[in-house]
Amino acid sequence: MLDTDIAIIGGGTMGLATATALANRTTRRVRVFDAARPPHTEASHHGHSRLVRVAYGEGRAYVPLAQEALCGWQRLNQAADAPVFIPTGILNIGAHDSPFLAEVETSARSFDLRTESLNHADITQRWPGWSLNTSFRGCFEPQGGVVLTERLFQYWRSVIANSANITAIDNTPITSISRRHERFVLRSLAGDQWQAGQILVAAGRANRALLRPLGIELPIQRVRKVFGWFDHTPEYDAARWPGFNYCGPAGDYYGFPAIDGHGVKIGRHDGGQHIEDETTPGDFGSHPSDLTDLRRLIDRHMPGVGELQRGAVCEYLRTPDEHFIIDEPIDGLFIAAGFSGHGFKFAPAIGDRLRDWMCSHAPPASFQPFNLGRF
């Protein structure tokens, strides 16, 4: 049986954020296991890009974590060979009475964040790619932007490759975790075994099956979501167009400017289809509403966006309250799960705080709202 000090199950966003944070803090041996070789399409990090914002419509309690994460993305930009974060700004659009937009503005005021309140004419004049009537308004956050996920993973994996104490073990699905005295035993699909003093379980959709035999039940629902890249006119290029969130009659959407030859990317945040544990989400187009869900926003509000270039499917692993689960339910066993479609942007901060928790054995007070015991 092979031995390590820390085992991280899941080499995706939170697993690698924590592993690379540990590379700068500890000399303990760390092994990062993944069922494939990240980045890949079986995890929540695929799709080329993610939004980063700080004025937070999901609740102002997230703002300190978002501020810390933004600093982390800016540091990564300085460390990586190519930029991983592009400060396009983020435009939040909604009806005048939108609760999401109201919370964005309240969080900005509460933490003295720099934002601009805009009416529909301000928006369409600055970004002519929008077509909006008088029922809409917006809040622009200039410090927000876009993370390029493939570049990010390339950098993170280079950090691990150059680390003396951290090893990525790819194409190795972990199928079980058990306790043996004061340590944890991991078994792979191939029958190999490792033992570790601490474990971080951050394996996405595999989390529930891994933790259930230990008596830990995660209240997480898999939800199928779609997004796609589209042809466009030049005003949607990254030099002219921000990332955006839209909450209006068409639904709840997010989007990205055209970057690195990719088209305009648009995804739907609400809706979707529930997925049972043993089923696969199916390819884009396998559900009748896949394209029409995306075109609903385009046809109403984005006249310069044309035909679909390609579509894709992802999953939200959603908790009942749509807040995260970050906890240590058994001494030495840490969980990072249920990020509910809005966790990626916090990765540098979550990785740093999990590192500190694992090294100091002192849980950060900021993670208390994410305790599994709230369910």
Side-chain angles (χ1 to χ4, degrees), residues 235-248:
E235 63 261 34
Y236 298 94
D237 289 336
R240 310 183 191 183
W241 185 260
F244 70 85
N245 291 292
Y246 167 100
C247 297

Side-chain angles (χ1 to χ4, degrees), residues 17 38 57 63 78 80 99 118 121 125 130 141 180 195 212 215 224 258 262 295 297 304 325 342 355:
V63 171
Q78 296 173 353
L118 306 168
Q125 182 176 2
W130 284 109
E141 183 181 350
R180 180 175 296 174
Q195 62 176 352
R212 189 174 288 129
R224 179 182 183 272
H262 295 263
R295 288 234 60 104
L297 175 72
I325 296 172
H342 68 114
R355 172 203 62 198

Side-chain angles (χ1 to χ4, degrees), residues 205-221 277 319-320 325 327 329-330 333 335 337 371-375:
R205 69 174 72 155
N207 285 339
R208 293 181 68 189
L210 286 170
L211 293 169
R212 189 174 288 129
L214 297 172
I216 301 169
E217 191 65 42
L218 296 184
I220 290 175
Q221 172 68 57
D277 278 350
T319 63
I325 296 172
D327 202 357
I330 298 172
L333 186 146
I335 300 170
N371 191 293
L372 179 59
R374 72 184 189 271
F375 298 111

Side-chain angles (χ1 to χ4, degrees), residues 19-21 23-24 76 154-164 166:
T20 52
N24 299 321
L76 283 167
Q154 182 179 9
Y155 171 71
W156 272 344
R157 288 181 65 90
S158 73
V159 171
I160 290 175
N162 291 313
S163 170
I166 300 181

Side-chain angles (χ1 to χ4, degrees), residues 233-274:
T233 50
E235 63 261 34
Y236 298 94
D237 289 336
R240 310 183 191 183
W241 185 260
F244 70 85
N245 291 292
Y246 167 100
C247 297
D252 295 348
Y253 291 85
Y254 59 89
F256 302 77
I259 300 172
D260 290 347
H262 295 263
V264 173
K265 178 183 170 185
I266 297 169
R268 184 155 186 183
H269 180 68
D270 62 343
Q273 298 83 38
H274 293 292

